[in-house]
Amino acid sequence: MIDHTINQVIRLPRHTVFALLERPEAIPAWNPAIESARPLTEGEVRKGSRFLLRRADPRPAIEEVRVTEHDPDRRFALQGDFGPFVGALDYQLEETPAGTRLRHVAQLEPKGPSRLIAPLAARRVRAAVADNLDRLRQVLEQTAPARGMATHAAPRSHPTVTGS
């Protein structure tokens, strides 16, 4: 099992961060493993909404994920297939003086033959997720000022990682 927590500070208010996290079509902008993402459920994103992801890395795949928690500006969680894993991703947002602390909690089980390499893959998965969260921070912090959204004057931060 891969079980890790990664924290990333983003110099923007929670509602700005959450607004991008809940948009499936925005995922490829900050996660290069995903070629495209689209909603399968009509209407506003909510608990129970489903997304279809077209993955390019580590190998091409079509994945379906379901929103398991949707607490605007506080928590957004998904469950489903994520590459060679099945499990849950939980994004928790906390307002801080520096902006928003985004806590990403992953609990993933390898599928099929991936079980044999899961212990080796854990470090690579954590590193890729940390890179993705830093990319998310960059996308948000670079586009928010252009859209007239307030940013906090805190120093840039890099993700902190805990877990296996």
Side-chain angles (χ1 to χ4, degrees):
M1 175 177 219
I2 293 179
D3 185 0
H4 67 245
T5 300
I6 301 173
N7 292 293
Q8 174 69 62
V9 174
I10 300 172
R11 298 177 304 144
L12 291 163
R14 283 188 310 192
H15 67 272
T16 303
V17 177
F18 190 88
L20 187 70
L21 276 177
E22 74 170 347
R23 288 183 37 226
E25 64 277 4
I27 296 171
W30 56 272
N31 185 339
I34 304 298
E35 285 181 348
S36 65
R38 65 179 178 85
L40 292 173
T41 311
E42 292 187 29
E44 297 291 318
V45 174
R46 62 195 176 281
K47 187 174 179 175
S49 292
R50 295 177 303 122
F51 305 151
L52 189 69
L53 309 177
R54 183 177 302 278
R55 177 175 294 278
D57 186 36
R59 63 182 177 272
I62 303 293
E63 306 164 353
E64 186 175 318
V65 297
R66 181 175 50 87
V67 177
T68 57
E69 295 292 335
H70 188 271
D71 184 4
D73 302 342
R74 289 179 177 78
R75 188 169 178 210
F76 184 70
L78 301 168
Q79 188 170 38
D81 291 326
F82 302 97
F85 303 95
V86 63
L89 303 178
D90 191 353
Y91 298 89
Q92 303 162 14
L93 293 81
E94 177 187 348
E95 197 79 31
T96 71
T100 299
R101 177 180 298 114
L102 175 62
R103 173 172 286 127
H104 168 91
V105 180
Q107 295 179 320
L108 303 169
E109 285 286 344
K111 299 184 290 189
S114 299
R115 289 185 175 132
L116 300 173
I117 61 163
L120 301 173
R123 180 174 286 175
R124 182 172 175 241
V125 169
R126 281 193 313 268
V129 171
D131 287 347
N132 290 346
L133 293 179
D134 192 48
R135 194 172 294 108
L136 173 66
R137 177 194 59 77
Q138 291 172 30
V139 166
L140 279 161
E141 290 179 0
Q142 289 169 4
T143 60
R147 293 181 184 167
M149 298 175 194
T151 60
H152 297 274
R156 288 198 163 95
S157 70
H158 296 284
T160 58
V161 181
T162 59
S164 57

